[in-house]
Structures are given as C-alpha cells and as structure tokens.
Amino acid sequence: VGRIGRSATIERHTAETEISLTLDLEGSGKGQRESGIGFFDHMLDLLAYHGRLDLEVVAKGDLQTGSHHTVEDVGICFGQALSKALGERKGVARFGAATVPMDEARSAVAIDLSGRPLLVFEGAVPPGRTGEFENELCEEFLRAVAGTARITLHVRLEAGRNAHHMIEATFKAFALALRQAVAIEAGREEVPSTKGTLGG
Ligand SMILES: [Mn+2]
C-alpha cells in the first residue's frame, strides 16, 4: 500500500448544504477554501497550512439561516475524508498533542486516531460571532470531525478573552496535533495498537 498521496474526496449534498472536499495528508497547505464564511475560510487556511494538508473545500450552504449548517457539514466531510485517507491507519504515529498561544489566548489539543469517536471540549469560547462565524461552531466543527473521522479529540481552552484569538489558537493546535498523529513512523508497518486494530 502506497503511503505517499494518502488522499480522499468527499461529495455531500443535502437540502441544507452542497459540499465538495478533497484532502491530501502529504500536503503543504495548498488548495482553496470557499465556504462563503470568511472567518471559517481563514480557520481552514490555518488548519491546512499548519497541518501540512492540501485541502480543497467548496461549500454552498443555507447561510441565510446562519453559519451553523455549513460549518458542521464541512466538519462532517473533513472527518470522512480524514478517515478515508487514513485507510486501515497502518504505520501512523496515532497520537498527537499541541498547545498553541495566540496573544492572551492558549489552547491545548490532544488526538488519538483511536477508531472511537469522541470530543471532550473544556472551557468555552465567549458567545457571539466572529465575522459571520458563530463562536460556538468551533466546538461543533470539531465534534463533527471527531464523529466522522472516528478519533478521540480533547480540547482545553486554557486561557483567553478574545474569541478570534481563542478559536484561532484552537484550530492551530488541532492542526499541529493532527499532523503528528497522522505522520508515518519510519519502519512501522502495522496498525499501532496492541489490540491489532484502530477500527473502533
Ligand atoms: Mn486571525
């Protein structure tokens, strides 16, 4: 099985959103992110760049209802693409953790490509909006990713007052932790589990 070019494309059409997403784990941040929500595109840019992912996202959602459906559904598609690109999860580091500051804010993210979907989110982003992005969607995006990628994802907002900084620190920490977890370990051929599977 070739490990170079671990990639996947997901097309998802519902009554609320139409999404096309392509993810390549051996990337460098290339791709366009067009969700119709400027701040969310900014976060996806950070995720791609710091995660060393090539990521194409075109999302057309029912933004007249707010940004919720679009952000959550992009999360569903990102998680599906991640799981598909990882395949049997052979040879990967499996675990990743990163703490990232941004000015007064600080966020810590830990990941296990466990095969079991779970988000633990400690702390809270202040309510409100950043641009057209509803702040609580930071947590909702990550919950959707954890669910469809079947990963254990812990987020702890350790400090912060400014929602833009807190969300941005969280996306950067997620990117760095994910990059570690999906990295191929030299000489490791097997699924990194004493159970013999990361299938959940
Ligand atoms: Mn910013």
Side-chain angles (χ1 to χ4, degrees):
V1 177
R3 267 97 175 247
I4 302 304
R6 291 177 297 168
S7 65
T9 295
I10 302 294
E11 302 276 348
R12 186 175 189 272
H13 293 187
T14 72
E16 295 173 348
T17 62
E18 290 189 13
I19 295 168
S20 173
L21 184 150
T22 297
L23 173 67
D24 189 330
L25 299 179
E26 272 73 40
S28 59
K30 289 198 288 288
Q32 296 290 317
R33 275 65 69 172
E34 296 172 9
S35 70
I37 307 157
F39 181 74
F40 186 43
D41 291 346
H42 177 37
M43 293 304 104
L44 294 173
D45 289 345
L46 296 173
L47 173 57
Y49 181 77
H50 294 291
R52 301 285 292 170
L53 309 167
D54 290 346
L55 179 63
E56 289 279 348
V57 179
V58 178
K60 293 187 180 69
D62 54 354
L63 295 179
Q64 70 281 0
T65 69
S67 49
H68 193 115
H69 295 151
T70 301
V71 173
E72 185 172 33
D73 289 1
V74 170
I76 287 169
C77 292
F78 183 87
Q80 288 175 335
L82 178 58
S83 189
K84 195 171 166 188
L86 285 168
E88 292 175 75
R89 311 188 181 200
K90 281 184 180 167
V92 294
R94 179 179 166 180
F95 301 100
T99 302
V100 170
M102 180 166 181
D103 296 345
E104 91 298 343
R106 189 174 66 252
S107 186
V109 172
I111 291 177
D112 176 4
L113 305 180
S114 58
R116 297 187 303 281
L118 179 69
L119 174 71
V120 175
F121 196 102
E122 298 173 85
V125 182
R129 289 167 185 242
T130 304
E132 295 303 306
F133 183 91
E134 295 149 50
N135 293 344
E136 68 271 19
L137 297 179
C138 180
E139 181 173 344
E140 293 310 315
F141 174 79
L142 294 170
R143 178 170 291 110
V145 172
T148 53
R150 294 181 295 110
I151 62 178
T152 304
L153 179 56
H154 283 234
V155 178
R156 186 179 175 89
L157 275 169
E158 295 180 337
R161 286 184 299 278
N162 176 300
H164 185 135
H165 295 164
M166 295 166 83
I167 296 167
E168 188 159 334
T170 299
F171 270 83
K172 286 175 177 167
F174 174 56
L176 293 176
L178 182 62
R179 180 175 164 186
Q180 289 172 24
V182 304
I184 295 295
E185 294 236 315
R188 173 178 271 171
E189 299 290 330
E190 79 284 6
V191 174
S193 166
T194 55
K195 196 166 66 175
T197 179
L198 293 175

